[in-house]
C-alpha cells in the first residue's frame, strides 16, 4: 500500500513522534510510506538539530520525505497543487492527514482521505467542518473523549485509535520504580500555555520544606522564551532553583524517563499526549490532570492519580499522597509495565491498516 501522511513539521511534538513511529512500523511491514511536512522546523521556531535526527531516522527506515512549503499556510492553493502532483507522481493509494491544512490540500486529489484529530478543541467553525466532511472519508480520534468531541463537531461516526509508541525504543528502558531518598519527577512537553507548568510550580510552593527537599523536577522540552523566562522568574522568587530544572530537548526520551521515579503532567488541555503513553510504557507512576484522554490511560493502566486541571492544591495533594507511600509508587509502576502492550505501535499500525483497507475496498 502507498500511504501518504501529512503533518506539521519534523519537530518534537507528540503527534509528530507518533506519525514517525507509525510510518516506520508500516514501512517495516513492506508498505511504501511517505510523510509530507507542511514546514521545516526552522520555519516554526523549532530545534534544527532535532529535525536533522528526526529526518535521518525516517530516511534510514525507508520512509519518503517531502516538504510542502511554509508559504502554503498563506497560499493554500499552492499546497493543493503540490499535494496533487505528489500523489500523482508517487501513485499514492490513501492520504492520512494530521492537520486541517492537509484536508484542504487534498481538495484537488481523488484518493481517499483520513483525518486524525489530535486535540479536544474544535479549532474550526461548524461551517468549515461541513466542508471537511465532503473531503474526508474517515475521521480518527486518538482517545475516546477526543472521538466524542470530534463527533460533536462533524456529526459523523469517528474511529478511535489510541496513540501508541514504538516498543523497540523501550528495550532496556523499563523498570519497576523503587524510590530512594530523593524522588526524581520528570515532565515532558513543549513550554507552552497548554502544558501549564505554572500550575505545577504553584503546587510545589504548597508543599512543606521537608517534602520539597526530597524532590527533583526536570522538564524536557523547548518552547516560548518569554514564557520560560516567566517560569524561571517564579522559580527564583520562590527559592526553588535547586528543585526545578529545564533540561531542553531530549533526543532519547526513553532514557530520560528511565532515570525518573514519577511522571507529572499539569496540562490545561490535551488530546492524548504521547509523553504520557511513553511514561506508562516505561513503568512510571503518573500524576496527570483530567484533560483529553489522560484519565483513560491511568484508568487502563492503573498507574497513577488524576486531578482536575488548573487546581494547584489538588496537584500538591497528589504529590504528597504518592511521595509518602513508596509502596504505591512500586504498585503503580508494576501495573504500568504489565499493561504496556496496549500502547504498542504495532497494534496501532494494524488498526490503521484495517481502516485503510476498508476504505479502499468500498
Amino acid at each position: 500500500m502507498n500511504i501518504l501522511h501529512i503533518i506539521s513539521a519534523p519537530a518534537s511534538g507528540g503527534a509528530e513522534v507518533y506519525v514517525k513511529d507509525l510510518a516506520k512500523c508500516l514501512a517495516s511491514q513492506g508498505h511504501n510510506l511517505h510523510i509530507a511536512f507542511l514546514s521545516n522546523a526552522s520555519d516554526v521556531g523549532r530545534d534544527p538539530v532535532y529535525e536533522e535526527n528526526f529526518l535521518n531516522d525516517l530516511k534510514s527506515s525507508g520512509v519518503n520525505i517531502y516538504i510542502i512549503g511554509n508559504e502554503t499556510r498563506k497560499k493554500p492553493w499552492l499546497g493543493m497543487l503540490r499535494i496533487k502532483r505528489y500523489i500523482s507522481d508517487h501513485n499514492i493509494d490513501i492520504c492520512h492527514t494530521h492537520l486541517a491544512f492537509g484536508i484542504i490540500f487534498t481538495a484537488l486529489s481523488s484518493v481517499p482521505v483520513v483525518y486524525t484529530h489530535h486535540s479536544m478543541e474544535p479549532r474550526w467553525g461548524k461551517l468549515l467542518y461541513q466542508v471537511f466532511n465532503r473531503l474526508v472519508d474517515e475521521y480518527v480520534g486518538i482517545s475516546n473523549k477526543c472521538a466524542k468531541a470530534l463527533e460533536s463537531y462533524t456529526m459523523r461516526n469517528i474511529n478511535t485509535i489510541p496513540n501508541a509508541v514504538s516498543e523497540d525504543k523501550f528495550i532496556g528502558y523499563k523498570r519497576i520504580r523503587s524510590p530512594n531518598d530523593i524522588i526524581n519527577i520528570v515532565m515532558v512537553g513543549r513550554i507552552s500555555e497548554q502544558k501549564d507548568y505554572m500550575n505545577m510550580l504553584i503546587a510545589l510552593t504548597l508543599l512543606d520544606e521537608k517534602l520539597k527537599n526530597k524532590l527533583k523536577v526536570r522538564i524536557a522540552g523547548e518552547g516560548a522564551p518569554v514564557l520560560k523566562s516567566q517560569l524561571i522568574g517564579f522559580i527564583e522568587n520562590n527559592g526553588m532553583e535547586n528543585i526545578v530544572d529545564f533540561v531542553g530537548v531530549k533526543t532519547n526520551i526513553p532514557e530520560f524517563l528511565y532515570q525518573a521515579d514519577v511522571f507529572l503532567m499539569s496540562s490545561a488541555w490535551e488530546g492524548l499526549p504521547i509523553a504520557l503513553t511513553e511514561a506508562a510504557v516505561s513503568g512510571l507512576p503518573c500524576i496527570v490532570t483530567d484533560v483529553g484522554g489522560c484519565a483513560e490511560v491511568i484508568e487502563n493502566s492503573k498507574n497513577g492519580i488524576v486531578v482536575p486541571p488548573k487546581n494547584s492544591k489538588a496537584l500538591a495533594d497528589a504529590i504528597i499522597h504518592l511521595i509518602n507511600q513508596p509502596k504505591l509508587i512500586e504498585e503503580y509502576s508494576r501495573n504500568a509495565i504489565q499493561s504496556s502492550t496496549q500502547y504498542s505501535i504495532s497494534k496501532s499500525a494494524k488498526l490503521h491498516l484495517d481502516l485503510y483497507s476498508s476504505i479502499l475496498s468500498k
Side-chain angles (χ1 to χ4, degrees), residues 208-255:
D208 64 47
E209 290 301 315
K210 183 178 179 181
L211 186 58
K212 273 196 287 191
N213 290 333
K214 292 179 64 175
L215 305 179
K216 293 289 183 183
V217 181
R218 294 190 298 155
I219 303 168
E222 56 184 326
V226 173
L227 179 56
K228 183 176 180 180
S229 178
Q230 292 172 352
L231 296 171
I232 290 175
F234 186 91
I235 291 168
E236 292 173 348
N237 290 338
N238 288 275
M240 296 190 293
E241 300 97 320
N242 295 326
I243 299 173
V244 184
D245 187 20
F246 289 94
V247 299
V249 175
K250 288 291 182 180
T251 56
N252 190 339
I253 289 296
E255 180 181 39

Side-chain angles (χ1 to χ4, degrees), residues 23-296:
K24 288 172 57 180
C25 182
L26 291 172
S28 71
Q29 296 176 17
H31 299 280
N32 295 317
L33 267 294
H34 308 253
I35 298 182
F37 296 98
L38 177 56
S39 311
N40 285 113
S42 58
D43 295 324
V44 289
R46 307 300 293 272
D47 189 341
V49 175
Y50 187 95
E51 175 185 57
E52 183 180 2
N53 293 332
F54 191 107
L55 295 179
N56 285 339
D57 190 15
L58 286 172
K59 291 173 184 175
S60 65
S61 301
V63 178
N64 302 285
I65 296 163
Y66 176 59
I67 306 296
I68 303 169
N70 195 58
E71 67 277 11
T72 60
R73 292 176 183 269
K74 294 183 178 180
K75 300 176 180 179
W77 62 91
L78 287 179
M80 293 179 193
L81 293 171
R82 290 173 185 176
I83 287 298
K84 180 183 180 181
R85 187 181 308 116
Y86 192 91
I87 286 173
S88 175
D89 290 347
H90 295 85
N91 298 314
I92 299 299
D93 296 312
I94 196 158
C95 180
H96 188 160
T97 179
H98 301 262
L99 69 167
F101 270 112
I103 301 175
I104 297 168
F105 291 167
T106 63
L108 299 179
S109 305
S110 58
V111 298
V113 175
V114 176
Y115 171 59
T116 292
H117 194 60
H118 289 268
S119 173
M120 285 289 292
E121 305 301 313
R123 297 186 179 179
W124 308 95
K126 287 187 176 180
L127 181 61
L128 192 52
Y129 276 107
Q130 295 309 307
V131 175
F132 289 170
N133 282 347
R134 295 177 178 273
L135 300 172
V136 174
D137 292 84
E138 292 286 350
Y139 288 99
V140 174
I142 58 173
S143 70
N144 291 329
K145 286 184 72 173
C146 286
K148 288 179 181 177
L150 186 55
E151 183 178 352
S152 71
Y153 312 146
T154 63
M155 305 306 294
R156 289 262 298 268
N157 290 326
I158 309 299
N159 302 278
T160 302
I161 303 180
N163 276 351
V165 299
S166 171
E167 311 96 304
D168 293 345
K169 292 193 295 188
F170 285 89
I171 295 174
Y173 291 117
K174 293 184 181 184
R175 67 182 176 90
I176 304 296
R177 268 52 178 193
S178 183
N180 298 310
D181 293 336
I182 300 297
I183 305 297
N184 292 299
I185 298 175
V186 294
M187 306 179 74
V188 178
R190 185 166 168 76
I191 300 168
S192 64
E193 296 294 340
Q194 175 188 355
K195 299 303 178 182
D196 200 5
Y197 289 118
M198 185 60 76
N199 180 21
M200 175 274 299
L201 293 178
I202 295 172
L204 292 182
T205 66
L206 301 177
L207 306 180
D208 64 47
E209 290 301 315
K210 183 178 179 181
L211 186 58
K212 273 196 287 191
N213 290 333
K214 292 179 64 175
L215 305 179
K216 293 289 183 183
V217 181
R218 294 190 298 155
I219 303 168
E222 56 184 326
V226 173
L227 179 56
K228 183 176 180 180
S229 178
Q230 292 172 352
L231 296 171
I232 290 175
F234 186 91
I235 291 168
E236 292 173 348
N237 290 338
N238 288 275
M240 296 190 293
E241 300 97 320
N242 295 326
I243 299 173
V244 184
D245 187 20
F246 289 94
V247 299
V249 175
K250 288 291 182 180
T251 56
N252 190 339
I253 289 296
E255 180 181 39
F256 180 67
L257 296 174
Y258 183 78
Q259 297 165 353
D261 301 306
V262 174
F263 178 84
L264 179 63
M265 196 194 75
S266 56
S267 298
W269 70 90
E270 288 286 355
L272 182 63
I274 286 294
L276 175 56
T277 57
E278 289 179 325
V281 168
S282 78
L284 274 172
C286 300
I287 300 173
V288 305
T289 46
D290 189 6
V291 291
C294 298
E296 293 173 31

Side-chain angles (χ1 to χ4, degrees), residues 249 329 344:
V249 175
I329 290 179
S344 161

